[in-house]
């Protein structure tokens, strides 16, 4: 295929027809592929879901963690954000303790996910003395609203994060920002937008960047797709809600395939709990195709490496999955080279959603980091 084939026609109204044709063709190919391989897919699915013994997470209350406060925060663009807050606990063993300095950990989730990505980290930190957690769904995700029109930008996400900090984190305590994947990119965009927050004496006292990148993200797509992304993105993002609705229906009818893709691109190669894979797959499937398309340009054009030195005054913890296919570990190592003071923890055998797949391993490096900042 030559580049010329992908050029939109110059006559008026041509872009919309080409967009519909391209996306419609992709839908047709996807539907044909799903129909042709359905029997093999289900056989493979049964094998992937087979776990020796009891699944330890079969009864885990995913999406049901308690919160002390629920809020709705409206962004500058008018998007309502769903926010959940856990208050800091003080005293152990029933014995009261004098209140000390508080640490507020703000969770910023990734693309096509929601606040539930931090299930195990929120559970653990809610039991640590003096720690408040703030979780929210990013625009177009989870229980938050969506942008009325136009495309999402990382600057928009950074502005939303700034508002969450201002309205949910006490001014007399330390703030730790914990971003996963696109959430980490939102933190980098915030550092560009408001560098004074990261001066060491600013409100942000620490940063955790998990399974993220400062630029050059391909999401594990084939090289041929990555090569033509500049020409494809306007077509995909302009395809319209009608095409997105068709795609959503196709996704819903291919849940087995969605489970397998989640397992392949979200997790490491060692297998693991089917309940964890199902939970992540449900988050992905709940994100509308319209939201996915309207985020693509921002993610593919993301380049924050020149601005990383803004984070030098604050402690930084980098978490990477050894087998991450979406943002390979080299992306975290590149950030570490730009921030020599950062601590890099590579989680053995973990994929892109290491926070879910290897929750205990992630917490083993996260909790000491937060406690050091609190001290």
């Amino acid at each position: 295929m030559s580049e010329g084939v992908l050029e939109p026609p110059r006559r008026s109204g041509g872009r919309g027809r080409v967009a519909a044709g391209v996306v419609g063709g992709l839908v047709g190919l996807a539907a044909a592929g799903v129909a042709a391989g359905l029997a093999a897919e289900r056989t493979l699915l049964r094998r992937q879901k087979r776990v020796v013994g009891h699944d330890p997470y079969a009864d885990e209350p995913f999406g049901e963690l308690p919160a002390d406060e629920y809020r709705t925060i409206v962004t500058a663009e008018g998007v309502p954000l769903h926010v959940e807050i856990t208050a800091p606990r003080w005293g152990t063993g029933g014995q009261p303790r004098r209140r000390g300095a508080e640490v507020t950990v703000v969770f910023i989730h990734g693309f096509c996910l929601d606040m539930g990505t931090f299930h195990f980290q929120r559970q653990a930190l809610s039991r640590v003395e003096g720690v408040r957690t703030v979780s929210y769904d990013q625009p177009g995700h989870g229980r938050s609203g969506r942008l009325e029109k136009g495309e999402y930008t990382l600057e928009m996400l950074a502005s939303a994060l700034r508002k969450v900090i201002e309205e949910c984190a006490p001014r007399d305590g330390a703030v730790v920002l914990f971003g996963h994947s696109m959430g980490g990119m939102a933190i980098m965009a915030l550092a560009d937008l408001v560098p004074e927050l990261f001066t060491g004496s600013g409100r942000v006292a620490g940063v955790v960047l998990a399974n993220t990148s400062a630029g050059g993200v391909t999401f594990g797509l084939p090289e041929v797709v990555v090569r033509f992304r500049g020409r494809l993105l306007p077509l995909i993002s302009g395809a319209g809600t009608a095409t997105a609705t068709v795609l959503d229906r196709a996704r819903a009818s291919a849940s087995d395939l969605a489970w397998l893709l989640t397992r392949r691109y979200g997790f490491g190669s060692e297998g693991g709990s089917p309940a964890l894979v199902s939970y992540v797959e449900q988050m992905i499937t709940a994100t509308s195709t319209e939201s996915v398309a309207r985020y693509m340009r921002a993610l593919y054009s993301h380049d924050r490496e020149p601005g990383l030195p803004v984070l030098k005054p604050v402690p930084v913890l980098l978490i990477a999955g050894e087998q991450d296919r979406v943002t390979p570990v080299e992306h975290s190592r590149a950030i570490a080279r730009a921030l020599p003071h950062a601590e890099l923890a590579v989680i053995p055998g973990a994929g892109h959603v290491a926070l879910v797949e290897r929750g205990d391993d992630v917490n083993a490096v996260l909790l000491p980091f937060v406690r050091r900042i609190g001290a």
Side-chain angles (χ1 to χ4, degrees), residues 63 95 101 111 115 150 208 217 297 323 327:
Q95 298 300 316
F111 183 48
M115 68 171 69
V208 183
V217 183
R297 191 193 306 271
Q323 298 181 16
T327 53

Side-chain angles (χ1 to χ4, degrees), residues 144-160:
S144 289
R146 67 178 64 180
L147 194 64
E148 286 295 325
K149 59 182 179 180
E151 297 185 0
Y152 295 97
T153 67
L154 289 173
E155 288 75 18
M156 185 184 305
L157 301 190
S159 177

Side-chain angles (χ1 to χ4, degrees), residues 7-15 17-18 231:
E7 284 281 1
R10 298 185 181 277
R11 62 181 179 274
S12 176
R15 177 182 290 269
R17 286 191 290 273
V18 171
R231 299 182 184 278

Side-chain angles (χ1 to χ4, degrees), residues 89-150:
R89 271 60 175 172
W90 298 98
T92 56
Q95 298 300 316
R97 175 184 162 182
R98 183 175 61 83
R99 289 174 62 90
E102 295 179 359
V103 177
T104 299
V105 179
V106 181
F107 295 122
I108 312 105
H109 69 78
F111 183 48
C112 288
L113 299 168
D114 62 38
M115 68 171 69
T117 315
F118 299 95
H119 177 88
F120 296 115
Q121 291 69 49
R122 176 170 159 180
Q123 261 186 343
L125 286 174
S126 66
R127 296 191 288 264
V128 176
E129 279 197 352
V131 174
R132 166 188 283 99
T133 70
V134 177
S135 308
Y136 71 102
D137 292 331
Q138 299 227 56
H141 294 76
R143 284 164 285 184
S144 289
R146 67 178 64 180
L147 194 64
E148 286 295 325
K149 59 182 179 180

Side-chain angles (χ1 to χ4, degrees), residues 195-285:
E196 58 268 25
L197 289 176
F198 301 85
T199 59
S201 58
R203 298 201 65 192
V204 177
V207 169
V208 183
L209 302 173
N211 301 92
T212 192
S213 171
V217 183
T218 66
F219 293 102
L221 292 174
E223 177 61 29
V224 65
V225 177
V226 175
R227 188 185 313 160
F228 291 110
R229 68 188 181 191
R231 299 182 184 278
L232 285 171
L233 283 176
L235 304 182
I236 295 172
S237 61
T241 56
T243 302
T245 301
V246 172
L247 285 168
D248 283 333
R249 290 173 181 168
R251 289 167 65 195
S253 66
S255 58
D256 287 352
L257 179 59
W259 195 95
L260 289 171
L261 290 173
T262 300
R263 171 66 183 78
R264 173 171 177 78
Y265 288 97
F267 291 73
S269 61
E270 296 180 3
S273 162
L276 295 181
V277 179
S278 295
Y279 178 53
V280 174
E281 183 267 321
Q282 289 164 12
M283 285 190 277
I284 295 172
T285 302

